[in-house]
């Protein structure tokens, strides 16, 4: 599969962003205080590694076959660790900061995918990028739900 210069440069941009995601989730899973949040970050980090692998494959000229979903368990319900009104706990403040940072990272990545999708000629690649973008939106939802259930939204 032959990529145009523009497509190659967009893929390199996506690759860079996925690398940042992999690193951030790895780092933040170690820094988080709450066990549930650690697990959530570890779980999302694995799908970021998968995204990175897919982008690398496309960059190398192969169009990977997408395994039709279902293998990704989506955890959207959390047992609150932190109390809603408590804003003084340093652990909660730290975890809240990590969530906010990753939420804005996901928003940014999702926007980049949306922009890229419109630039690709190949339908299969468009579908793959669309599939990844959907997963980024899911990540955002998972983090949002965690924050909501732990009273981190004001
Ligand atoms: Fe990703
Ligand atoms: Fe993501």
């Amino acid at each position: 599969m032959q990529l145009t210069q523009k497509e190659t440069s967009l893929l390199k941009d996506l690759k860079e962003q996925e690398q940042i995601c992999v690193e951030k989730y790895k780092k933040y899973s170690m820094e988080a205080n709450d066990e549930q949040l650690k697990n959530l970050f570890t779980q999302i980090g694995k799908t970021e590694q998968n995204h990175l692998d897919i982008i690398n494959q496309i960059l190398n000229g192969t169009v990977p076959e997408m395994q039709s979903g279902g293998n990704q368990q989506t955890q959207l319900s959390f047992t609150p660790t932190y109390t809603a009104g408590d804003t003084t706990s340093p652990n909660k403040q730290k975890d809240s900061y990590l969530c906010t940072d990753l939420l804005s990272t996901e928003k940014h990545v999702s926007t980049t995918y949306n922009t890229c999708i419109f630039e690709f000629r190949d339908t299969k690649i468009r579908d793959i990028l669309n599939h990844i973008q959907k997963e980024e939106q899911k990540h955002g939802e998972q983090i949002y739900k965690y924050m909501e259930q732990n009273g981190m939204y004001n």
Side-chain angles (χ1 to χ4, degrees):
M1 147 117 250
Q2 196 70 30
L3 297 165
T4 65
Q5 234 175 352
K6 186 163 193 186
E7 288 171 337
T8 303
S9 117
L10 290 169
L11 285 166
K12 281 183 180 161
D13 187 28
L14 288 172
K15 177 182 174 170
E16 217 167 85
Q17 292 195 30
E18 290 295 359
Q19 275 169 335
I20 290 170
C21 286
V22 169
E23 282 162 26
K24 271 197 180 182
Y25 278 107
K26 200 177 282 172
K27 190 166 179 278
Y28 289 6
S29 70
M30 290 186 286
E31 286 180 16
N33 295 294
D34 178 24
E35 210 55 40
Q36 276 187 107
L37 193 57
K38 278 179 181 292
N39 292 336
L40 179 64
F41 287 168
T42 305
Q43 186 195 321
I44 297 178
K46 282 181 195 159
T47 71
E48 302 298 2
Q49 182 61 55
N50 179 243
H51 295 167
L52 181 57
D53 296 342
I54 291 168
I55 298 298
N56 273 325
Q57 281 180 59
I58 301 174
L59 263 174
N60 294 331
T62 50
V63 182
E65 288 298 327
M66 300 298 295
Q67 66 275 67
S68 46
N71 54 346
Q72 196 202 357
Q73 17 150 265
T74 311
Q75 184 193 358
L76 288 178
S77 169
F78 301 93
T79 315
T81 305
Y82 299 111
T83 20
D86 180 18
T87 49
T88 53
S89 153
N91 283 3
K92 182 177 174 179
Q93 278 174 4
K94 174 77 185 292
D95 283 359
S96 174
Y97 168 82
L98 297 177
C99 287
T100 305
D101 182 69
L102 286 170
L103 202 50
S104 82
T105 303
E106 292 289 357
K107 259 186 217 171
H108 179 66
V109 173
S110 177
T111 304
T112 310
Y113 272 102
N114 190 51
T115 308
C116 289
I117 286 166
F118 285 89
E119 304 293 340
F120 279 81
R121 294 167 305 161
D122 187 83
T123 305
K124 244 179 143 185
I125 295 184
R126 281 178 175 241
D127 287 346
I128 291 167
L129 298 180
N130 177 259
H131 176 92
I132 296 178
Q133 192 200 9
K134 215 175 278 172
E135 290 192 345
E136 309 298 15
Q137 289 171 349
K138 259 300 165 218
H139 296 164
E141 187 185 10
Q142 287 173 288
I143 295 168
Y144 168 78
K145 290 279 177 205
Y146 174 86
M147 292 182 80
E148 190 188 39
Q149 277 155 30
N150 282 281
M152 288 171 173
Y153 263 102
N154 8 334

